[in-house]
Amino acid sequence: MDMGKALLFYFTLFLFIFAICTNSIHYDFDLWARLIAGMGVIDGGGVLKSDFLSYTPVHTWYDHEWGSGVIFYLFLKLFGPFSLIILESILYFGIFFLISRIIKLRANSTPYNIIFYIFPIIAVAENFNNPVRCHLFSFLLFTVFLYILELTKKGKYKPLFLIPILTIIWNNLHGGVVSGLGLIVIYIIGEFINRKPIKYYLITLLISLPLLIINPWGVDYIKFLLMANTMKRPEVAEWWGIFAKINIFRFLPFKLFMLGIVVIELLTLIKNKATKLTDWWNNLDKTKYITLLTTLYLGFTKVKLLPFFVITGTIFGYEDFYKLISKLKFPEWKNKAVYAVLLTMTVFSILIKDISIPVNFDAYPVKEVEFVKVNKLKGKILVNFGLGSYVAYKLYPDNLIFMDGRYEEVYYEGMVPLLKKFYLVMPYWNEILVKYPPDLMILENDYPVYRVLKDSKSWVNVYEGKRFGVFVKKEDVKKDYKLPSLDIKYYKDTLFDTDIKFKKRV
C-alpha cells in the first residue's frame, strides 16, 4: 500500500513540476555564458580562464559555475535545446524528492500528503523557472547536505563521509558551496546548544574546508569565492530584498508561504510550551530553529536566496503542520479527490500548450541581434549587462560586448555603475562613450538614454523593434538595410546557433 502511495505521489509531483517548467517564457540571461564555458571544456579541452568576449578591461575569469556549464552544454549537444527544460525538471524534482525523504526521516511517518507540497513548489517557481540555472545545483546539494546532517542527528554517521566528496563536486558546479559549509556550522552550533555530540560535524567541516582548493584556479579561487559571497550588488535586482520597492507586489506565493510557515512554527512553539520554561527549552530543537531563522533571513533579504527557506520551511513546516491538525478527521475520499483534480489540471495544462523552447522577444533582442547579423554590422557593441552573454553567444567573433552578467567573475568594480549612469542619463552619462567607445548599440526603449540618443546628431536608430532598438554611428549608416526574419519558427530553430568555435587542445 505504501509503495503504491509513494509511486502515485512521486509521479504526480514530477508531472506537476514538469508542467511548471514548460511554462518558462525565456532562458536565464547568464545561460549563454555558461554554454560558452561548457563549450570551452568539451570542445576546447580545458576550463576557460581568460575572457575573449569583451572589449573592456577584464581580469582572470574565475568561473565558479564552470562545471554547471559543462553539464548544460553536454545536454544541449547530445539531446537538443528542450533537454535543458527536462534537466531543470529533474533537478527541481530532485529537491522535493529529498525534502520528502527528510520529512519521513524526521517524523518517521508518511510524507505523501501532496497538497502541502503544492504551496512550496509554487512559492519557488519564479526563482527556478528560467531553464536552466546553475543555482539549482546548489539548492539540490543543500538539500542533500540537510539529509546527511539529519541522518547524523539520528546516529547514522557514515553518510558524513560523503560531504567532503560532495564539497569538491559542488565547489566546481557553483559558488553556492558556501551555503553547504554554512549549514554544517549551523548544525554544530545548534547541536552544541542542544547538548548533543558535535565531534563528527566538526571533523567533517575541518576536512571539507581545505578541499575548496581543488579547483582550476587553486588558492586564488578561494579569495575570489570569499569576495563574491560578501560583495554587495545594488544594481542586480535578484540580490534585493523581497520587500524592496520593485518587489512589493512580486513573489506573492513565497510571501504567503513564508507567512504560513511562520504561523505554523509560532503555534507549534506555543502548543509545546510546558508548565516549566526549562522543560520547554530543553525539549526545543535549537538546530531546527536556527536553520529556519537563518534561511528566513536569507530569503527575506535576497530574492535569489529565498529557495533556501522554501526547502527548510517545507521540511520543518510539514511535520509541525500535521501535528497541529492531527485531531482533525478528513473523509476517506479526500486523497483520491486531490489526486484526481491535480492530475487532471496538470495533464490538461501540458496538453493544451505547444511544448517547445521559449523565445521571448520582449526579454531578449532576438530580432535586433538578427538585424546586426544579416547586415554584417561588425565592431564593439554596447548592450545592457544582462543581455551581454546572449549577444556575445550570437554575434562573436564579429562583435565584442561591453560586459555581461558574469559581473565579478570577469569585470572590474565600477563597470556596472558606469553602465547604470549611461542608461539613466545621470550626470556625466556619456563617460562610457568616451572611455569605452562602441561602434553600435542595442538598447531597451524604456530607458531615458534611448530617447536621448534618438535625438542625437552622432547616433542613428537604424532598426527599432517592439522593445529594443539598434543604433549605429551617423558616419557608419548605410543607405539600405536588410530586415530580420518575421518567422518565429526560424528563431526557435536557430536560437542556440553560434559561430563560437574551439579547437581541441592537443
Side-chain angles (χ1 to χ4, degrees):
M1 184 68 174
D2 280 346
M3 179 63 76
K5 277 185 180 180
L7 288 174
L8 178 62
F9 169 78
Y10 289 122
F11 173 75
T12 307
L13 191 69
F14 179 79
L15 208 62
F16 184 72
I17 287 171
F18 177 71
I20 288 177
C21 292
T22 57
N23 278 321
S24 299
I25 58 173
H26 70 86
Y27 288 95
D28 175 51
F29 291 119
D30 295 332
L31 172 65
W32 317 97
R34 302 280 69 84
L35 291 175
I36 294 168
M39 197 185 309
V41 175
I42 301 301
D43 295 345
V47 176
L48 301 176
K49 296 181 182 179
S50 58
D51 173 71
F52 58 93
L53 304 169
S54 312
Y55 66 85
T56 48
V58 293
H59 55 67
T60 301
W61 184 358
Y62 294 106
D63 188 357
H64 65 88
E65 301 165 324
W66 74 269
S68 297
V70 170
I71 294 172
F72 296 163
Y73 181 66
L74 273 175
F75 267 74
L76 176 67
K77 188 172 184 176
L78 296 175
F79 309 113
F82 192 74
S83 69
L84 295 174
I85 295 176
I86 301 294
L87 176 61
E88 181 204 18
S89 303
I90 292 169
L91 295 174
Y92 202 160
F93 171 76
I95 292 167
F96 281 92
F97 173 83
L98 285 166
I99 285 172
S100 73
R101 304 323 295 168
I102 300 171
I103 290 169
K104 184 173 176 61
L105 175 69
R106 283 183 57 85
N108 197 27
S109 62
T110 175
Y112 305 133
N113 292 305
I114 195 164
I115 197 164
F116 187 90
Y117 291 81
I118 302 306
F119 299 104
I121 289 172
I122 293 173
V124 84
E126 192 168 347
N127 286 69
F128 286 0
N129 210 14
N130 295 108
V132 59
R133 298 192 68 181
C134 306
H135 67 186
L136 269 170
F137 290 108
S138 274
F139 296 127
L140 177 63
L141 286 165
F142 178 83
T143 317
V144 172
F145 271 42
L146 255 177
Y147 188 33
I148 293 172
L149 294 171
E150 283 296 320
L151 283 169
T152 306
K153 284 183 72 175
K154 296 286 186 180
K156 299 176 182 178
Y157 301 108
K158 287 184 179 180
L160 275 175
F161 291 105
L162 290 172
I163 285 184
I165 299 169
L166 291 171
T167 298
I168 297 171
I169 296 170
W170 191 349
N171 188 38
N172 289 279
L173 282 174
H174 189 248
V177 64
V178 295
S179 65
L181 299 174
L183 188 62
I184 302 173
V185 172
I186 288 173
Y187 269 69
I188 290 171
I189 296 170
E191 291 304 277
F192 177 78
I193 299 173
N194 282 335
R195 298 181 180 179
K196 298 289 178 66
I198 62 170
K199 178 175 71 174
Y200 293 105
Y201 298 105
L202 197 55
I203 291 171
T204 302
L205 181 65
L206 292 175
I207 292 172
S208 299
L209 279 171
L211 296 178
L212 292 175
I213 201 173
I214 303 176
N215 66 79
W217 300 270
V219 177
D220 288 341
Y221 176 76
I222 309 302
K223 298 175 186 176
F224 163 78
L225 200 61
L226 289 171
M227 180 276 293
N229 279 279
T230 54
M231 75 178 295
K232 295 180 180 179
R233 297 173 175 85
E235 292 86 10
V236 185
E238 67 178 358
W239 287 100
W240 298 350
I242 59 168
F243 289 103
K245 187 176 180 180
I246 194 175
N247 293 327
I248 290 293
F249 298 106
R250 295 184 64 209
F251 303 102
L252 292 179
F254 171 76
K255 290 171 182 175
L256 290 172
F257 174 81
M258 180 180 67
L259 178 63
I261 296 299
V262 169
V263 169
I264 288 168
E265 293 308 322
L266 286 174
L267 291 174
T268 299
L269 288 171
I270 293 168
K271 182 182 177 183
N272 292 341
K273 190 173 180 181
T275 305
K276 292 184 178 180
L277 187 62
T278 52
D279 292 339
W280 176 80
W281 174 254
N282 290 333
N283 292 328
L284 192 68
D285 184 352
K286 281 70 130 186
T287 304
K288 164 184 168 179
Y289 285 103
I290 293 173
T291 305
L292 274 173
L293 287 171
T294 303
T295 54
L296 176 62
Y297 171 78
L298 292 175
F300 197 89
T301 57
K302 302 286 187 296
V303 162
K304 188 172 184 176
L305 305 180
L306 64 83
F308 286 125
F309 180 71
V310 172
I311 292 166
T312 59
T314 306
I315 291 167
F316 301 125
Y318 183 101
E319 178 185 358
D320 291 334
F321 176 73
Y322 284 103
K323 282 181 181 177
L324 287 171
I325 65 168
S326 59
K327 292 183 180 179
L328 297 177
K329 293 193 176 181
F330 299 95
E332 293 183 7
W333 51 263
K334 175 187 74 82
N335 286 337
K336 292 179 181 179
V338 168
Y339 275 103
V341 171
L342 192 57
L343 280 169
T344 301
M345 290 176 60
T346 302
V347 172
F348 181 73
S349 72
I350 293 172
L351 292 177
I352 63 170
K353 61 186 174 221
D354 172 29
I355 298 179
S356 61
I357 63 172
V359 180
N360 190 326
F361 296 95
D362 290 332
Y364 280 110
V366 179
K367 291 181 180 178
E368 291 74 18
V369 164
E370 182 68 12
F371 176 86
V372 172
K373 196 173 187 68
V374 297
N375 288 289
K376 298 180 181 178
L377 305 181
K378 300 181 180 182
K380 297 175 288 185
I381 185 166
L382 176 63
V383 295
N384 214 337
F385 80 99
L387 305 170
S389 69
Y390 170 74
V391 173
Y393 184 87
K394 299 297 289 184
L395 296 178
Y396 182 87
D398 289 338
N399 302 92
L400 298 179
I401 58 170
F402 175 83
M403 72 175 301
D404 62 10
R406 288 171 297 165
Y407 211 73
E408 77 282 354
E409 290 181 18
V410 172
Y411 303 100
Y412 290 101
E413 191 175 356
M415 300 300 281
V416 175
L418 196 63
L419 200 60
K420 179 181 178 182
K421 188 163 61 174
F422 169 74
Y423 269 90
L424 299 181
V425 194
M426 297 166 69
Y428 305 104
W429 66 274
N430 60 347
E431 180 184 356
I432 197 172
L433 303 179
V434 177
K435 293 181 76 172
Y436 309 109
D439 297 305
L440 60 151
M441 295 182 272
I442 298 178
L443 307 175
E444 298 95 320
N445 59 22
D446 52 357
Y447 280 102
V449 74
Y450 193 92
R451 296 185 291 275
V452 171
L453 289 176
K454 284 201 77 169
D455 296 331
S456 168
K457 295 180 181 179
S458 303
W459 293 87
V460 178
N461 184 196
V462 293
Y463 178 78
E464 190 167 30
K466 181 180 177 183
R467 181 156 182 250
F468 302 92
V470 179
F471 290 83
V472 300
K473 291 178 180 178
K474 187 173 182 179
E475 61 267 27
D476 295 332
V477 174
K478 300 177 183 178
K479 290 182 179 180
D480 297 308
Y481 287 102
K482 296 178 183 177
L483 293 177
S485 173
L486 298 176
D487 183 6
I488 295 177
K489 186 178 183 303
Y490 165 77
Y491 293 109
K492 282 182 176 286
D493 292 342
T494 61
L495 183 63
F496 287 91
D497 289 356
T498 180
D499 290 325
I500 298 174
K501 305 292 182 216
F502 290 94
K503 291 182 180 180
K504 197 77 173 182
R505 297 179 189 175
V506 180

